[in-house]
Amino acid sequence: MQLPVAFLLLCLLGIVQALSTAGNRLLVVIEELADKDKYSTFWSDLESRGYNLDFESPKSEKLTLFQHGERVYDHVLLLPPKSKGLGPSLTPKILMDFINGDGNILLALASDAPTPTAIVSLLLEFDIHLPSDRNALVVDHFNHDTISASDKHDVVLVPAPKALRPGAKNFFAGQSPDTTLAFPRGMGQVLGNESPLLHPILRAPSSAYSYNPKDQSETVEDPFAVGQQLALVSALQARNSARFTVLGSLEMLENKWFDAKVKAPGASGEKTTTGNRDFAKALSAWTFQEIGVLKVGNVEHHLNEGADQGLVELNPKIYRIKSDVTFSIELSEYNYDHWAPFTPPAKDAVQLEFSMLSPFHRLALTPSSSGTSSNSTLYTTSFTVPDQHGIFKFEVNYKRPFFTYIDETREVTVRHYAHDEWPRSFAISGAWTWIAGIWVTVAGWLAFVALWLWSAPVRSSGPADKAKKTQ
Amino acid sequence: MAPKRSGPSTPTSSSANLKSLSSSSSNSPSTSAGSSLSGSAASNTDATVILNHVWNRYVQNTPQRTKLLDAFLGFLVAVGVVQFAYCVLAGNYPFNAFLSGFSATVGQFVLTTSLRMQTNKENEKEFSSVSDERAFADYVFGSLLLHFFCVNFIN
């Protein structure tokens, strides 16, 4: 009896402390613990949001992501090692297992040391390609910081990301629309076309290109990638909604770039402060599932008929064809530290499918004012069940970039009319002629029978016949 | 047993009945035939004469009960035609009502025709084992069954 209570208390304690929906155990893999202080603002930002940071060197003996087959950490922040590899406890397979076990990974890259093969092959698993020369960095001769990199042009200034496409939510826009991000000495990635799970968060400016500083030649021939092809920060959300983010430049997280003043070449005098701190917050919050997390609450469906009187059964197993049905689903979105009502971005809609093999209905769900509370939105729609019996399902399949996936199905049987559910024939005026037809036939028949019996032929031998019958 | 004994008695009685009928009914066709004779061609007159003859033969030689059957059959045809025409003109919704209404009439027609075949004196050889009473009882049973089904099916 005491053990469950203690366990419950422990769970409650965990809920109070964890501000991320996925847990608060964060492992930071950093090779030189002395370098830790360069990112102290970032660490304190993370700690203030409720994370328990655990710093480990990749060479450490006791470093392990799994214990007894369970994850030891909820999130991993991988800083690039200067040495050749990540060691035996962080092989690509273990990192893949970690993602498959719902763990989130934020991987930072840097161009000052060659990228280990383990990381390159891990990224290839996700269809993210790095430049073949391991020291490549992104330069831009038109959008660089003139204060810190007037000579090398390797601190690229990028405007804060726009929405991925119309109808997609932008989590990384920063405070103001003209926020500038400094991307110092970073490594660009090229994303494969095949994976629908892969999205760029930040693209390079159109005049940027990837370049190897060790290459001595004057001009760059056949660069790895140029312009918007280069993703500076990219994200993969696996099918289990675990998140994997690649940050091209580790230096972005350094204290000095959080509040650095930068100036673009053509800018008219004014120095601007970078939006790196907000971007780092949004990026880590998204990766560690503090934002963009959707939750399904109550899912209900019922018949419209008698719903006002409260007479209907909720979520019945069976419906009849052509009956009017209402479906509702409660959706919440996690917003740093609380569940908030979910509203899809403009030009997007949450849709309900009523399908048997293929959808018979695909309807936009509308938020209902009555069912919306302070931490969830109630989406409802009403429709008429199609004139087709079989096993149907209500399905809400909402998969959008940067949101965790929703795929809720409820299976119901749709039956045809029972024998006594058809309208009576006399209720349909069109049937009156045929009703009359039957009864006229019956009346005529009765008259005929009466006449037949009455007009029995006169028998000469009547009494004899009667005597015969009685025998 | 019974039909054989009653058999010979029916024609005499019905023909006795019919004589009065034919004397009254044969007058009107002859007058109409006369009027058509004056107005149209000779072939037409022949047809009228033939029809007249057929009618007279029918009236004179058909037993009373067979005539009653024929009258009922004619009535059923009329009712059936009305129902079918309504279906063509007004559409077949609700279809089960059309089916049951129309098939009540058609089914009744079929049953009545069967009764006519079984009770007709000319078919006595084929239906020697079925007496008129037996045939009528079957007919009543079948008709009641039909009415039950039709009323049930029209819902």
Side-chain angles (χ1 to χ4, degrees), chain B residues 63-87:
Chain B
Q64 166 67 22
R65 273 185 159 172
T66 312
K67 277 185 182 161
L68 181 59
L69 277 166
D70 288 340
F72 186 48
L73 289 173
F75 166 74
L76 289 175
V77 167
V79 173
V81 165
V82 167
Q83 290 184 71
F84 193 77
Y86 179 76
C87 176

Side-chain angles (χ1 to χ4, degrees), chain A residues 422-425 428 430-431 433-435 437-442 444-445 448-449 451-453 455-459 461, chain B residues 5 10 65 68-69 72 75-76 79 83 86-87 91 93-94 97-98 101 105 108 133 136 139 143 147 150 154-155:
Chain A
W422 297 93
R424 299 302 296 264
S425 60
I428 305 164
T433 311
W434 295 307
I435 296 173
I438 290 185
W439 291 111
V440 163
T441 306
V442 170
W445 177 77
F448 164 76
V449 167
L451 274 175
W452 174 277
L453 293 172
S455 72
V458 182
R459 292 192 184 109
S461 53
Chain B
R5 197 166 295 175
T10 36
R65 273 185 159 172
L68 181 59
L69 277 166
F72 186 48
F75 166 74
L76 289 175
V79 173
Q83 290 184 71
Y86 179 76
C87 176
Y93 177 80
F98 163 70
T105 313
Q108 192 65 64
E133 283 78 5
F136 184 68
Y139 170 72
S143 301
H147 299 158
C150 288
I154 202 170
N155 185 20

Side-chain angles (χ1 to χ4, degrees), chain B residues 17-39:
Chain B
N17 274 346
L18 286 174
K19 259 165 201 168
S20 60
L21 260 172
S22 64
S23 59
S24 61
S25 62
S26 59
N27 284 344
S28 53
S30 63
T31 49
S32 66
S35 62
S36 67
L37 187 95
S38 60

Side-chain angles (χ1 to χ4, degrees), chain A residues 362-380:
Chain A
R362 187 182 283 133
L363 304 161
L365 287 157
T366 48
S368 99
S369 51
S370 61
T372 300
S373 67
S374 61
N375 51 16
S376 67
T377 318
L378 189 73
Y379 285 92
T380 62

Side-chain angles (χ1 to χ4, degrees), chain A residues 79-374:
Chain A
L79 304 190
K82 297 214 164 44
S83 55
K84 286 246 166 162
L86 282 167
S89 51
L90 293 171
T91 61
K93 176 163 189 321
I94 289 171
L95 293 173
M96 287 291 270
D97 288 344
F98 186 74
I99 290 171
N100 286 336
D102 298 337
N104 306 304
I105 296 180
L106 173 57
L107 170 69
L109 301 174
S111 61
D112 52 353
T115 315
T117 325
I119 287 178
V120 174
S121 55
L122 173 70
L123 292 180
L124 274 178
E125 296 268 358
F126 302 135
D127 209 9
I128 301 172
H129 305 267
L130 293 184
S132 49
D133 36 3
R134 303 281 176 77
N135 292 85
L137 53 83
V138 180
V139 292
D140 189 332
H141 304 305
F142 300 93
N143 300 297
H144 59 271
D145 180 20
T146 49
I147 298 168
S148 61
S150 57
D151 187 29
K152 287 186 169 175
H153 298 180
D154 53 1
V155 178
V156 181
L157 296 186
V158 199
K162 303 266 182 302
L164 192 64
R165 53 177 162 79
K169 188 161 175 178
N170 186 2
F171 289 103
F172 311 100
Q175 304 285 3
S176 66
D178 52 349
T179 309
T180 306
L181 303 177
F183 188 81
R185 289 170 280 279
M187 188 179 271
Q189 312 106 46
V190 167
L191 308 184
N193 286 327
E194 298 298 309
S195 174
L197 311 172
L198 202 54
H199 297 291
I201 290 176
L202 186 65
R203 289 179 197 269
S206 50
S207 51
Y209 62 95
S210 184
Y211 150 82
N212 186 0
K214 299 218 171 117
D215 196 353
Q216 296 299 322
S217 64
E218 278 289 301
T219 55
V220 178
E221 280 169 20
D222 194 17
F224 168 69
V226 295
Q228 304 258 305
Q229 265 186 310
L230 272 171
L232 303 180
V233 182
S234 46
L236 174 126
Q237 185 170 260
R239 289 186 205 286
N240 60 359
S241 294
R243 286 162 176 181
F244 178 86
T245 308
V246 185
L247 172 64
S249 163
L250 171 66
E251 268 189 68
M252 272 185 99
L253 304 177
E254 283 183 13
N255 295 344
K256 66 171 179 179
W257 287 108
F258 271 16
D259 49 3
K261 303 276 185 196
V262 290
K263 188 163 167 281
S268 54
E270 282 291 304
K271 291 178 186 175
T272 52
T273 310
T274 60
N276 280 21
R277 188 172 182 172
D278 284 335
F279 182 74
K281 183 192 179 192
L283 191 72
S284 58
W286 182 82
T287 309
F288 302 149
Q289 307 219 347
E290 284 176 73
I291 49 177
V293 178
L294 299 183
K295 187 176 77 170
V296 176
N298 224 356
V299 181
E300 275 180 13
H301 52 88
H302 59 78
L303 282 175
N304 284 0
E305 199 180 338
D308 303 336
Q309 292 93 47
L311 298 172
V312 289
E313 183 194 353
L314 272 185
N315 305 337
K317 288 266 190 294
I318 190 163
Y319 284 107
R320 199 200 62 205
I321 57 165
K322 296 200 254 185
S323 46
D324 293 323
V325 170
T326 296
F327 177 88
S328 64
I329 184 169
E330 215 174 19
L331 293 179
S332 318
E333 179 187 359
Y334 197 71
N335 193 4
Y336 287 105
D337 53 359
H338 65 283
W339 289 104
F342 171 66
T343 317
K347 294 184 181 174
D348 193 13
V350 188
Q351 289 179 317
L352 167 73
E353 285 177 7
F354 191 65
S355 57
M356 178 170 66
L357 297 180
S358 58
F360 282 61
H361 281 297
R362 187 182 283 133
L363 304 161
L365 287 157
T366 48
S368 99
S369 51
S370 61
T372 300
S373 67
S374 61

